[in-house]
Amino acid sequence: MRIACIGGGPAGLYFAISMKLRDPAHAIDLFERNRPDDTFGWGVVFSDQTVENLLANDPVSGAAIQSEFAHWDDIDVHIHDEAIRSSGHGFIGIGRKRLLAILQERARALGVNLHFQHEASADLDDWAGYDLVIAADGANSRLRDAYEPHFGVDIQIRRNKFFWFGTRKLFEAFTFAFEQTGAGWVWAHAYRFDDSHSTFIVEMDPDSWAGLGLDRMSQEDAIALCEHIFAKYLDGQKLISNAGHLPGPQAWLNFRRIVCANWAYRNLILLGDAAHTAHFSIGSGTKLALEDAIKLADVLNRPGLARDQALAEYQAERNLDVLKLQNSARNSTEWFETLGRYLHFEPIQFAYSLLTRSQRVSHENLRLRDKSWLESVERWFLSRALDRPVSAPAPPMFAPFRLRGLELANRVVVSPMAMYSAEEGEPCDFHLVHYGARAQGGAGLIYTEMTCVSPEGRITPGCAGIYTQAQVAAWGRIVDFVHAHSSAKFCLQLGHSGPKGSTKVGWEGYDVPLDSGNWPVMAASDVPWSEANQVPRPMGRADMDAVVAQFVAAVRRGLEAGFDMIELHAAHGYLLSSFITPLTNRRSDDYGGSLENRLRFPLEVFRAMRAAWPEERPMSVRISANDWMGDLGVTPDEAVEIGRAFAEAGADLIDVSAGQTWADCQPVYGRMFQTPFADQVRNDGRLTTMAVGNIYEPDHVNSILAAGRADLVALARPHLIDPMWTLRAAAQQDYRRVTVPPPYLGGMAQLARNLQREAELKA
Ligand SMILES: Cc1cc2nc3c(=O)[nH]c(=O)nc-3n(C[C@H](O)[C@H](O)[C@H](O)COP(=O)(O)OP(=O)(O)OC[C@H]3O[C@@H](n4cnc5c(N)ncnc54)[C@H](O)[C@@H]3O)c2cc1C
Ligand SMILES: Cc1cc2nc3c(=O)[nH]c(=O)nc-3n(C[C@H](O)[C@H](O)[C@H](O)COP(=O)(O)O)c2cc1C
């Protein structure tokens, strides 16, 4: 094949090498606009896995690269005049110039025609003599941009400013240094990449950048300012720029996150940064570029594979890796963009939060890397929970938690789950067994399903209620069992179905109206849940007064039944949620429009409930922190205000759920997908929060808690299948100080032993 490769960065060079290795008959011309040793940037970092891939693909260049690596294990986090060091992180770095020199030499030796100082045309017609044209021309790819509609290019310009410096100061640990200036926080990501240089990336938000005058400062002055800010780390060494040709402000970049729906058009193929980028804070752009090159060379040389099929396989496989990395990179980018959220943390928790920011590194990963550091975090967490020094570490999930006068034995919560198994709203033996088993399963707190405050406030005919004395007695029997046979505390979730009422039980079709016997429904406005659902009656003042009275009566009955805590359900599109989200609240009176107005009725209900519930017992509110409808609905920023408003009205805990407020919303699912909202409400709002949503491993729970992303963690579906989820988690972590029902002690001991033995065998 005759191939034109545009761009002599890692992607272009390594692709040319990989093609020649597979078939020396390929004629490859590589065009690079710069001279061989002109390059931007300083060092790049790799993982061990990438090195193995390089060695397998080309042992010659792989060995040359490997022999020049700088290795380091430690990460230092400098914050608030403290340095937190953790170890075992295992990074490898190399200078970008050196990497390119090795690849250039190898490409030349294999017969690739290298043309430097050659500005390549972005017009495919100028490349008519070639079978393939490879756009390896970087993030600002001109070839990609020339055919943009065919590639489906999506570019996001991220908000922070950064400058990629070098320095002769040798950082022996990967160093994150955060410094406060008069204009805001400025930080550096620094690491050594050879015997004489380190990379030193300075980053800050745009306000600090402008506040420091960097938007109008020459490069010389900007460098002097950065040297001054980071003087204590640089030991008198200078910061070196290799963007000297640019005016000062232009040398500061905004990261561009690039995603392409298609990676090939006609005979033009995107490779490396031209196809996708990954934020520098997770340092994987070069790895992706090199691995793209290997895969593309593989498929193009596989006998019998037509070109279209080859390109489809190239994109399908590489895109998976890219999406995973871009997901982690997005988390990491956002962490740095919302740094202010974490600056009130104590340094040890700040460092933990930084290390786990991408969500690729979890609590147990940190244990593998540096057990003694992780145990210092666990001791710190427990000592804060107990308010006294401790000598032994414990998994964060087993730290106790206090809400007003209520002491929870641990941080695991059984999330509210409708069982649709009540008759006339009355819980039965099914509920006794269901809640009894989950209470005995070790969670610190269990929630009832949404328990309705009136018959018409039920979602389905199978929903439980607490609007009759018979229901109080039935709940009382369950509460007594929970209190007598477990150390779990029991929270009653109270709600009213509003526009989503009068529907079938879950397993017969969610939110589908009954075949017969429907009752009228009401809501903030006459907006039905879907075309199939009833149009609700907009509530008038008399309806509101009646609903407030029903909630207050339910609170009194909950007290009579013996519950420890009450939650108001103001999420998921039910009655109170229909007021909060602008998607369903179309009112023009005092209860619609601004957030203050939309919250007026839900807060009225909450305040009346709070007044009826004993002072020493806590209350929580469940909210939908994101309608998943962009600015049309509730956004996580607005959720912070919602959380604050309920907290001011006396809520002790914000139970941060999301969605289910608009039938056509577009949630982005994934592991722990709603936890960022609990994090934001907690740390922007300085509130106590509970995270929920696809959290299923003990490792997830520990990571969320230790990183200060929430104070409690609720699991719903995992508890449906495994009522003993918490006891199993205790056995897995060899943690003994949990309450086990005495008859089950033997099972617990055996499980712990077996898991321990399995772990030893694996090790
Ligand atoms: C601040 C920062 C820090 C980073 N840190 C890391 C890190 O630690 N680890 C890591 O793996 N990655 C890192 N990266 C990312 C990494 O630099 C890129 O992902 C990687 O260089 C992509 O390789 P590439 O070959 O696709 O593109 P590039 O390296 O950008 O190469 C493209 C080449 O094409 C040339 N070119 C462009 N247009 C033309 C044209 N019309 N004619 C001829 N030549 C042209 C350019 O001169 C350039 O040499 C970092 C990036 C930044 C911005
Ligand atoms: C069967 C079932 C019933 C549920 N019923 C309720 C409910 O009554 N009240 C409520 O607030 N959330 C309810 N939820 C939502 C859960 O509390 C939880 O927020 C959601 O399932 C996400 O958590 P998970 O991924 O751990 O399941 C229910 C979930 C399930 C699976």
Side-chain angles (χ1 to χ4, degrees):
M1 268 193 275
R2 283 208 67 201
I3 300 170
C5 201
I6 316 303
L13 285 165
Y14 206 60
F15 171 73
I17 292 169
S18 304
M19 286 299 279
K20 279 289 201 183
L21 284 169
R22 282 161 182 76
D23 184 352
H26 292 309
I28 305 180
D29 287 308
L30 185 145
F31 301 94
E32 166 57 49
R33 60 155 69 112
N34 291 326
R35 287 184 301 238
D37 58 354
D38 279 343
T39 187
F40 69 87
W42 298 90
V44 291
V45 289
F46 287 137
S47 67
D48 289 339
Q49 180 59 51
T50 311
V51 182
E52 273 169 36
N53 295 344
L54 298 186
L55 283 167
N57 184 57
D58 176 22
V60 176
S61 61
I65 293 168
Q66 196 179 29
S67 70
E68 302 215 16
F69 274 137
H71 286 254
W72 68 100
D73 259 351
D74 298 342
I75 295 185
D76 283 351
V77 180
H78 297 264
I79 178 81
H80 303 311
D81 291 325
E82 248 189 70
I84 306 286
R85 170 166 290 192
S86 56
S87 198
H89 299 287
F91 289 103
I92 305 163
I94 187 170
R96 180 176 157 99
K97 261 192 188 172
R98 203 42 217 135
L99 172 70
L100 293 185
I102 293 169
L103 297 182
Q104 284 166 10
E105 193 184 322
R106 180 69 173 143
R108 220 175 266 120
L110 289 169
V112 178
N113 306 311
L114 300 176
H115 310 273
F116 289 99
Q117 293 178 275
H118 185 122
E119 177 71 39
S121 158
D123 185 346
L124 262 186
D125 293 342
D126 293 338
W127 303 99
Y130 290 92
D131 302 309
L132 286 181
V133 181
I134 308 296
D137 49 348
N140 299 324
S141 170
R142 285 180 53 215
L143 271 150
R144 179 199 62 214
D145 290 352
Y147 299 92
E148 187 179 330
H150 303 283
F151 291 118
V153 186
D154 173 16
I155 299 182
Q156 239 182 39
I157 314 249
R158 302 305 309 210
R159 69 188 292 266
N160 282 358
K161 292 280 179 188
F162 70 92
F163 199 136
W164 200 358
F165 293 111
T167 174
R168 286 187 169 276
K169 154 80 194 194
L170 295 183
F171 288 91
E172 291 309 330
F174 195 120
T175 299
F176 292 102
F178 295 83
E179 286 298 314
Q180 190 167 20
T181 70
W185 285 80
V186 179
W187 57 97
H189 315 232
Y191 54 90
R192 182 168 77 81
F193 61 83
D194 66 22
D195 290 341
S196 53
H197 286 92
S198 298
T199 285
F200 197 94
I201 302 170
V202 176
E203 185 183 357
M204 67 194 80
D205 70 32
D207 295 338
S208 308
W209 185 70
L212 287 169
L214 290 162
D215 57 342
R216 46 194 186 278
M217 208 180 269
S218 70
Q219 265 205 53
E220 228 175 30
D221 291 346
I223 289 173
L225 178 63
C226 291
E227 284 170 351
H228 173 71
I229 293 171
F230 295 105
K232 67 180 174 204
Y233 306 99
L234 289 169
D235 294 340
Q237 292 294 347
K238 303 232 149 289
L239 291 179
I240 316 163
S241 157
N242 57 12
H245 55 291
L246 294 173
Q250 283 176 33
W252 292 90
L253 304 177
N254 290 77
F255 178 74
R256 285 154 46 95
R257 195 282 279 127
I258 296 169
V259 173
C260 291
N262 307 308
W263 295 15
Y265 166 64
R266 288 167 44 191
N267 64 337
L268 175 62
I269 306 171
L270 304 182
L271 196 68
D273 269 16
H276 47 71
T277 54
H279 192 251
F280 56 85
S281 63
I282 64 161
S284 293
T286 305
K287 160 200 152 74
L288 288 179
L290 297 174
E291 289 172 355
D292 278 3
I294 298 174
K295 181 68 193 177
L296 184 59
D298 261 350
V299 293
L300 289 175
N301 288 284
R302 195 175 310 148
L305 195 62
R307 190 199 288 168
D308 283 355
Q309 282 172 310
L311 295 183
E313 182 180 325
Y314 159 64
Q315 175 170 349
E317 190 179 300
R318 291 302 305 142
N319 207 21
L320 254 187
D321 261 14
V322 168
L323 289 179
K324 272 194 224 155
L325 253 165
Q326 281 186 332
N327 201 17
S328 304
R330 189 196 59 229
N331 295 333
S332 176
T333 312
E334 284 175 1
W335 192 92
F336 286 104
E337 287 175 349
T338 55
L339 181 77
R341 196 171 284 168
Y342 309 106
L343 286 165
H344 64 288
F345 284 3
E346 289 184 50
I348 192 167
Q349 187 169 40
F350 181 86
Y352 183 100
S353 170
L354 172 57
L355 294 176
T356 55
R357 69 194 181 281
S358 73
Q359 290 180 41
R360 272 197 307 178
V361 175
S362 70
H363 199 72
E364 290 312 312
N365 296 142
L366 287 176
R367 193 187 307 283
L368 288 176
R369 292 174 184 207
D370 189 343
K371 186 164 183 275
S372 83
W373 186 73
L374 188 78
E375 290 183 352
S376 75
V377 174
E378 293 190 339
R379 271 193 300 276
W380 167 82
F381 192 86
L382 188 60
S383 73
R384 286 291 172 274
L386 295 171
D387 204 15
R388 62 173 165 78
V390 297
S391 51
M397 68 163 71
F398 292 112
F401 194 66
R402 174 173 281 277
L403 286 163
R404 297 203 185 207
L406 189 68
E407 181 80 28
L408 304 179
N410 61 57
R411 312 277 181 125
V412 184
V413 177
V414 177
S415 199
M417 279 181 287
M419 291 292 107
Y420 310 112
S421 301
E423 278 194 27
E424 299 298 327
E426 204 173 309
C428 59
D429 286 353
F430 176 88
H431 298 84
L432 176 70
V433 173
H434 171 74
Y435 291 111
R438 275 138 198 94
Q440 291 186 323
L445 179 64
I446 66 170
Y447 273 72
T448 67
E449 59 207 275
M450 177 169 119
T451 302
C452 307
V453 296
S454 62
E456 61 287 351
R458 290 175 300 163
I459 310 167
T460 75
C463 285
I466 190 154
Y467 46 84
T468 68
Q469 280 310 113
Q471 292 161 355
V472 173
W475 277 119
R477 182 167 80 113
I478 301 170
V479 175
D480 288 348
F481 180 91
V482 167
H483 286 160
H485 298 285
S486 80
S487 55
K489 304 297 184 220
F490 205 177
C491 179
L492 169 65
Q493 187 189 56
L494 290 177
H496 187 300
S497 54
K500 292 170 95 174
S502 189
T503 54
K504 296 184 178 184
V505 297
W507 51 87
E508 287 178 4
Y510 276 106
D511 306 319
V512 177
L514 298 169
D515 293 331
S516 62
N518 282 292
W519 60 86
V521 300
M522 60 183 179
S525 305
D526 54 357
V527 180
W529 172 247
S530 77
E531 274 185 16
N533 293 75
Q534 290 181 56
V535 176
R537 182 181 81 247
M539 285 175 77
R541 190 59 244 183
D543 295 316
M544 292 184 190
D545 291 341
V547 167
V548 171
Q550 287 164 357
F551 271 97
V552 170
V555 167
R556 297 212 170 99
R557 292 196 180 99
L559 185 62
E560 198 181 331
F563 284 102
D564 303 297
M565 179 172 167
I566 297 272
E567 172 162 289
L568 173 63
H569 195 340
H572 299 173
Y574 297 117
L575 187 73
L576 299 175
S577 166
S578 81
F579 276 83
I580 299 174
T581 168
L583 295 165
T584 50
N585 183 336
R586 312 272 171 88
R587 301 176 74 105
S588 52
D589 60 5
D590 286 352
Y591 300 94
S594 66
L595 178 62
E596 188 188 355
N597 280 359
R598 287 182 276 124
L599 277 173
R600 195 179 305 280
F601 179 58
L603 284 173
E604 197 181 312
V605 172
F606 185 82
R607 286 199 190 96
M609 292 166 72
R610 184 67 265 184
W613 186 242
E615 182 67 26
E616 72 284 1
R617 294 195 200 187
M619 286 185 65
S620 60
V621 184
R622 177 163 265 206
I623 62 168
S624 283
N626 190 349
D627 286 335
W628 300 111
M629 289 290 290
D631 289 341
L632 296 176
V634 169
T635 60
D637 285 347
E638 210 175 37
V640 177
E641 299 312 314
I642 296 171
R644 278 198 182 122
F646 278 109
E648 275 163 25
D652 307 290
L653 174 72
I654 310 301
D655 175 358
V656 186
S657 185
Q660 300 176 54
T661 48
W662 189 248
D664 296 330
C665 70
Q666 300 291 327
V668 182
Y669 291 113
R671 211 165 31 109
M672 304 186 271
F673 71 114
Q674 296 173 159
T675 300
F677 313 136
D679 183 358
Q680 184 169 351
V681 172
R682 180 180 194 268
N683 294 310
D684 282 352
R686 302 293 167 87
L687 300 170
T688 303
T689 63
M690 179 157 77
V692 66
N694 211 13
I695 300 166
Y696 48 90
E697 297 276 357
D699 198 20
H700 301 161
V701 179
N702 287 328
S703 305
I704 291 169
L705 293 168
R709 308 181 80 207
D711 299 279
L712 296 175
V713 178
L715 293 83
R717 288 163 296 176
H719 277 117
L720 284 182
I721 299 307
D722 188 357
M724 300 274 164
W725 190 91
T726 305
L727 293 186
R728 186 183 295 282
Q732 277 168 359
Q733 297 170 90
D734 201 18
Y735 180 77
R736 305 292 165 92
R737 279 165 281 155
V738 280
T739 309
V740 183
Y744 302 164
L745 277 167
M748 185 71 183
Q750 192 209 21
L751 179 60
R753 261 197 316 276
N754 287 342
L755 289 171
Q756 198 65 27
R757 210 169 296 141
E758 268 173 32
E760 278 162 21
L761 281 177
K762 245 191 223 159

